[in-house]
Amino acid sequence: MRGMKSGAACLILAMGVLLWGATDAVAAPVELNVWTAFPELNEQVIWIAGKYMEKNPNIKIKATLFPQRALEEKVAVALPAGQAADLIELDKMGLYPYYVAGHLAPLPKNVVDWAKKNFPDYSVASVTSDKGEIFTFPWLNSLKVMFYNKDHFKEAGITKTPDTIEEMLEMAKKLTKRDEKGNLTRAGLDLRLSGGGFGTSQKYWTQVMIPYGAKVLEKVGNKWRAGYDTEAGRKALQYYIDAVHKYKVDSIDFKSDAEAFGLGITSMFQRESWVVGYMAKNAPKINYGAFLMPKGPGAWGTVGNTMGLSVAKSSKHKKEAFDFAMFMMNDEMSRATFGDSGWQPFRKGVDYSQLYKTRPQLKTFIDGAQTKDHVVHDYENIPPIFEIHSRMADRLMAAFKRADLVDNPSGIAKVIKETAEETNRILEDQGLLAK
């Protein structure tokens, strides 16, 4: 009897330990870390995380903000070392090399099915590897359009937005202002002449290369070569040189970007939808609108690069990370992200009609992704794409400063030829150059 009692006591104790362990496992909190590169997106992630944690009290989410270049450097060290955050927000062209190197977790089948159902086909294609794996969520569409100051247009007697890049330059001349000494006091057209990184070449690609029909890269079979050492590529650079040094609608040392637009000292500039949120917060009195990138003699379109959201392969909580990512992109959170941060979600089928009533400029971005014959370009999924655009930007910024390139076709041709040669050297180093 004593043996039976002893055995029963042991069994009860063992069951108690198992039950305690199971309860502890369920109750144990999961901590997800998210790294972001833009203040307005970081604020949005924190807000969304709060909503998610209300529904999932055992999950704690911490969002950390880094300046964009600092995040790129952080990821370059931490991700290969297995010490990165669970979720990382970066441009998909910056994420792709890490996928190739095996540091990102491809979307599992159930998440792939959800993505294909809820995102446009072209956005899914842009984040699909040659192996058929989706290597990052196509979270945000960084579509480029032109912003313009309506009061400046009215003052200059301009009654419409430009349809072509030639019209845009003519309007820019009328909009530009200088003081009695000839110093620029208002830029008619901000061309993003500096700033560094691939962002400068991105704006140049959008502003003039696409309209003239010049390609950064041309695919030949399964390899690539520079596609802009052409007449179209030379005309693209000439447009910038003339705008800055002949017509002087912008200046290297003049304040630029959203800050200048918000201060009312730039009449037109190219940017993404986040500007709408920036203007609401920092310059609510500016009367402005937006229009699609003007057409050129070679093509009509824009760049809509994908801001990705990836799960690190080293994450110990992949299931929870994927679930939180999908929550971030549901209808309610997509509307909130577009309205609060200004960043444009890639999600399809979301009703933004109420949002357009207070921020009508945002409709231009949705139109940009749907307008017939208006082509949205994205970066190629090849490992050296970031380096190609960054090196191109360095050479372009040096060229933008050169007044000697005005009416100098041979000088323009030399700059373009040398830049294209560097692009091809980078491709060759990676075994990707088409012969």
Side-chain angles (χ1 to χ4, degrees), residues 13-33:
L13 178 61
M15 289 179 64
V17 169
L18 287 170
L19 287 170
W20 177 85
T23 304
D24 183 66
V26 171
V30 170
E31 182 172 306
L32 292 178
N33 284 286

Side-chain angles (χ1 to χ4, degrees), residues 156-433:
I158 301 172
T159 58
K160 62 183 282 294
T161 56
D163 294 319
T164 68
I165 57 173
E166 293 86 0
E167 283 184 347
M168 184 162 62
L169 187 54
E170 289 304 312
M171 291 179 184
K173 295 177 192 177
K174 294 180 181 179
L175 292 161
T176 302
K177 284 189 172 183
R178 301 177 183 82
D179 62 20
E180 62 279 359
K181 295 181 179 179
N183 297 315
L184 194 67
T185 58
R186 186 171 82 191
L189 175 61
D190 177 357
L191 289 168
R192 178 66 181 269
L193 301 171
S194 60
F198 69 88
T200 300
S201 63
Q202 179 189 86
K203 302 303 182 291
Y204 177 83
W205 177 22
T206 308
Q207 197 86 50
V208 286
M209 290 186 73
I210 290 173
Y212 279 112
K215 299 177 180 179
V216 178
L217 292 177
E218 180 182 17
K219 192 169 188 180
V220 182
N222 63 348
K223 295 193 175 184
W224 306 85
R225 66 186 176 205
Y228 56 92
D229 189 9
T230 61
E231 184 62 22
R234 293 185 282 274
K235 285 182 177 179
L237 180 56
Q238 190 65 62
Y239 187 99
Y240 261 60
I241 296 300
D242 286 349
V244 176
H245 297 291
K246 181 183 285 188
Y247 306 120
K248 303 183 187 299
V249 301
D250 195 9
S251 175
I252 296 288
D253 56 1
F254 195 69
K255 193 180 290 292
S256 65
D257 212 359
E259 181 184 6
F261 192 69
L263 292 171
I265 58 173
T266 289
S267 297
M268 293 185 287
F269 87 121
Q270 174 208 147
R271 260 305 194 173
E272 302 86 5
S273 59
W274 63 263
V275 170
V276 178
Y278 173 90
M279 295 297 286
K281 182 177 180 180
N282 297 284
K285 294 183 180 180
I286 295 289
N287 181 23
Y288 75 102
F291 59 91
L292 295 182
M293 299 303 302
K295 299 174 183 178
W300 183 35
T302 190
V303 172
N305 57 301
T306 302
M307 297 304 296
L309 187 67
S310 286
V311 175
K313 197 165 187 177
S314 59
S315 171
K316 297 177 181 178
H317 307 295
K318 293 185 185 69
K319 182 177 180 294
E320 293 83 358
F322 280 117
D323 188 70
F324 176 56
M326 288 189 289
F327 181 83
M328 289 174 67
M329 300 172 207
N330 69 27
D331 285 23
E332 181 187 355
M333 297 303 122
S334 293
R335 275 190 292 269
T337 297
F338 203 12
D340 296 341
S341 74
W343 283 83
Q344 179 183 353
F346 245 130
R347 271 290 313 282
K348 68 180 181 182
V350 179
D351 182 5
Y352 295 114
S353 56
Q354 288 299 114
L355 182 58
Y356 297 153
K357 292 178 182 179
T358 55
R359 298 189 178 180
Q361 301 89 352
L362 291 176
K363 189 174 186 301
T364 303
F365 291 88
I366 299 299
D367 291 345
Q370 300 173 351
T371 300
K372 187 177 182 296
D373 298 326
H374 179 260
V375 180
V376 180
H377 300 264
D378 202 345
Y379 292 93
E380 295 80 2
N381 288 332
I382 56 175
I385 193 67
F386 186 86
E387 183 183 5
I388 286 169
H389 280 263
S390 296
R391 295 283 189 89
M392 182 178 173
D394 291 340
R395 288 181 177 269
L396 287 172
M397 287 187 292
F400 296 159
K401 297 176 181 179
R402 294 180 54 185
D404 67 293
L405 293 176
V406 173
D407 298 326
N408 181 358
S410 62
I412 292 283
K414 186 173 186 289
V415 170
I416 293 298
K417 183 175 186 295
E418 291 176 351
T419 305
E421 286 174 346
E422 182 170 44
T423 293
N424 287 336
R425 281 197 299 272
I426 296 168
L427 289 167
E428 188 171 31
D429 289 345
Q430 296 284 329
L432 294 171
L433 179 62

Side-chain angles (χ1 to χ4, degrees), residues 35 72-85 88 98 103 312 314:
W35 288 350
E72 291 164 0
E73 293 170 359
K74 178 84 172 174
V75 170
V77 174
L79 194 55
Q83 298 174 350
I88 302 166
Y98 297 110
H103 302 311
S314 59

